[in-house]
Amino acid sequence: MRTALKLSAAAAAATLALTTLTACGGGGPSAAPKDDSIKIMVGGLDKVIYLPARLTQQLGYFEDEGLKVTLLTEPAGVQATTSLVSGDVQGVVGFYDHTLDLQVKGKQVESVVQLAHAPGEVEVVANKAAGNLTSPKDFKGKKLGVTGLGSSTDFLTKYLAVKNGVQTNEFTPVAVGAGQTFISALQQGSIQGGMTTDPTVAQIVDKKLGKILIDMRTPEGSRQALGGPYPSSSLYMNTDWVNSHKETVQKLANALVKTLKWMSTHTSEQIVAKMPSDYAEGGKKLYAQAIKDTLPMFTKDGVMPADGPATVERVLKAFNPNLKNASVDLKKTYTTEFVKKSG
């Protein structure tokens, strides 16, 4: 990652001083109580699917709530989840589906702000492989890029395969991250296709390195590919921590919901103007296009779509042996308590 440091869970504590952006709420750094110093791990800070996290910081909305927020970054959501479970961070901006996976493993985690109701993911295919990779039915025998093994891109790739008659052991998922590492893997032929997000998608299309096979950046695309809304990007936290820090969680929800509303009333160019300049790796125009293409995935109020959790459960149970025969209490995987108070 460029601006944000790439941190392993173990290294996070040692490098916080380098990534902390202090919010003093008008009263100096000491004005924020200890409980309001929050570390949040993001599954790729410069991914457009997680844009609300950094944009909230850029707009000063964490500061307005008196919060001192540190945004850390990992290239894949599964690594961000590890940081949460180990106690290195208080929250994760990542895919909601991890809350179900963790519940059956005995960890109670819940989404407190649902940032998106579609995955924002795109299955792309390299130009060289486009002739014999025209749908998920052709996944058999292919090497397909995912951000990380056990990540949401891995989950969704496996679901698309199984749904189209290809077993999970009939293709090879390859952990290639996102951005330049994904693009290089596609160029070099170490993967024939893969699942990624903007701005990587925009760069692949712009450089004519590949084309879009399945587009899940909109609720319509999500329904077509997955059979319903697929709540994805969210702020999720350990339930015990949420219950013992409700005032702090409410402030986080207030800030993020305010950002979602701001995003819904501003253009992609206006959003680009607020973001760090080095996030626009392929140029501001291309970055603005990437944001425009992805904006439909975001909610405007942070509320979980009513039928979203059931879609996620159905998708995960289709291929995940941990969940297949497990009983999941979906009501414990999210809460709308805080976003509904954010107004």
Side-chain angles (χ1 to χ4, degrees), residues 253-310:
N254 292 346
L256 287 166
V257 169
K258 195 173 179 183
T259 297
L260 290 169
K261 289 180 178 176
W262 188 93
M263 287 168 62
S264 72
T265 58
H266 289 75
T267 66
S268 57
E269 288 80 10
Q270 288 171 319
I271 295 172
V272 169
K274 294 291 183 182
M275 295 297 286
S277 58
D278 61 344
Y279 277 35
E281 193 175 75
K284 286 190 175 182
K285 186 175 180 181
L286 193 62
Y287 188 43
Q289 186 61 48
I291 291 174
K292 184 178 180 180
D293 290 339
T294 305
L295 276 177
M297 74 176 280
F298 296 108
T299 67
K300 296 179 182 179
D301 54 11
V303 175
M304 174 68 74
D307 49 350

Side-chain angles (χ1 to χ4, degrees), residues 172-323:
T172 305
V174 183
V176 293
Q180 194 51 52
T181 54
F182 186 102
I183 292 170
S184 294
L186 202 67
Q187 282 179 304
Q188 293 163 10
S190 50
I191 58 173
Q192 283 82 55
M195 192 170 291
T196 190
T197 60
D198 276 313
T200 308
V201 177
Q203 291 174 39
I204 289 168
V205 173
D206 183 63
K207 294 176 180 177
K208 297 181 172 55
L209 300 174
K211 65 178 187 177
I212 292 172
L213 197 64
I214 299 167
D215 193 339
M216 295 179 285
R217 290 176 291 188
T218 66
E220 295 75 25
S222 175
R223 279 193 291 271
Q224 188 175 346
L226 306 173
Y230 196 92
S232 57
S233 306
S234 64
L235 170 64
Y236 61 83
M237 312 178 91
N238 287 310
T239 299
D240 285 346
W241 198 91
V242 171
N243 291 337
S244 60
H245 297 78
K246 288 199 171 189
E247 188 177 336
T248 302
V249 177
Q250 186 63 60
K251 291 175 181 179
L252 286 167
N254 292 346
L256 287 166
V257 169
K258 195 173 179 183
T259 297
L260 290 169
K261 289 180 178 176
W262 188 93
M263 287 168 62
S264 72
T265 58
H266 289 75
T267 66
S268 57
E269 288 80 10
Q270 288 171 319
I271 295 172
V272 169
K274 294 291 183 182
M275 295 297 286
S277 58
D278 61 344
Y279 277 35
E281 193 175 75
K284 286 190 175 182
K285 186 175 180 181
L286 193 62
Y287 188 43
Q289 186 61 48
I291 291 174
K292 184 178 180 180
D293 290 339
T294 305
L295 276 177
M297 74 176 280
F298 296 108
T299 67
K300 296 179 182 179
D301 54 11
V303 175
M304 174 68 74
D307 49 350
T311 303
V312 173
E313 182 182 29
R314 177 176 52 76
V315 166
L316 294 182
K317 284 194 170 188
F319 67 87
N320 189 325
N322 293 332
L323 278 97

Side-chain angles (χ1 to χ4, degrees), residues 14-306:
T15 52
L16 286 180
L18 298 177
T19 56
T20 300
L21 291 161
T22 302
C24 38
S30 61
K34 191 174 182 181
D35 276 356
D36 287 349
S37 295
I38 305 295
K39 290 174 283 179
I40 296 174
M41 185 68 79
V42 184
L45 253 179
D46 61 351
K47 293 178 183 176
V48 179
I49 57 171
Y50 300 138
L51 182 144
R54 189 58 191 262
L55 182 58
T56 301
Q57 207 166 49
Q58 296 293 107
L59 291 169
Y61 292 162
F62 288 135
E63 282 188 50
D64 291 349
E65 294 292 332
L67 294 172
K68 180 183 176 184
V69 173
T70 302
L71 294 178
L72 307 173
T73 187
E74 282 284 9
V78 63
Q79 293 156 329
T81 299
T82 301
S83 299
L84 180 70
V85 172
S86 64
D88 288 332
V89 298
Q90 285 73 54
V92 168
V93 171
F95 267 39
Y96 160 73
D97 52 22
H98 291 293
T99 67
L100 281 72
D101 193 49
L102 286 167
Q103 189 184 110
V104 299
K105 294 174 180 174
K107 307 290 183 184
Q108 194 55 56
V109 173
E110 63 187 17
S111 165
V112 295
V113 182
Q114 194 56 47
L115 303 172
H117 51 182
E121 302 284 354
V122 175
E123 184 72 25
V124 297
V125 57
N127 287 335
K128 294 175 184 176
N132 59 6
L133 181 50
T134 60
S135 83
K137 292 178 182 178
D138 301 323
F139 281 2
K140 189 173 181 178
K142 303 296 190 298
K143 291 182 179 179
L144 301 173
V146 296
T147 52
L149 301 181
S151 67
S152 296
T153 52
D154 190 22
F155 289 167
L156 289 171
T157 301
K158 286 175 176 171
Y159 174 74
L160 291 173
V162 170
K163 181 188 176 189
N164 287 276
V166 179
Q167 298 307 305
T168 57
N169 63 355
E170 292 182 315
F171 70 94
T172 305
V174 183
V176 293
Q180 194 51 52
T181 54
F182 186 102
I183 292 170
S184 294
L186 202 67
Q187 282 179 304
Q188 293 163 10
S190 50
I191 58 173
Q192 283 82 55
M195 192 170 291
T196 190
T197 60
D198 276 313
T200 308
V201 177
Q203 291 174 39
I204 289 168
V205 173
D206 183 63
K207 294 176 180 177
K208 297 181 172 55
L209 300 174
K211 65 178 187 177
I212 292 172
L213 197 64
I214 299 167
D215 193 339
M216 295 179 285
R217 290 176 291 188
T218 66
E220 295 75 25
S222 175
R223 279 193 291 271
Q224 188 175 346
L226 306 173
Y230 196 92
S232 57
S233 306
S234 64
L235 170 64
Y236 61 83
M237 312 178 91
N238 287 310
T239 299
D240 285 346
W241 198 91
V242 171
N243 291 337
S244 60
H245 297 78
K246 288 199 171 189
E247 188 177 336
T248 302
V249 177
Q250 186 63 60
K251 291 175 181 179
L252 286 167
N254 292 346
L256 287 166
V257 169
K258 195 173 179 183
T259 297
L260 290 169
K261 289 180 178 176
W262 188 93
M263 287 168 62
S264 72
T265 58
H266 289 75
T267 66
S268 57
E269 288 80 10
Q270 288 171 319
I271 295 172
V272 169
K274 294 291 183 182
M275 295 297 286
S277 58
D278 61 344
Y279 277 35
E281 193 175 75
K284 286 190 175 182
K285 186 175 180 181
L286 193 62
Y287 188 43
Q289 186 61 48
I291 291 174
K292 184 178 180 180
D293 290 339
T294 305
L295 276 177
M297 74 176 280
F298 296 108
T299 67
K300 296 179 182 179
D301 54 11
V303 175
M304 174 68 74

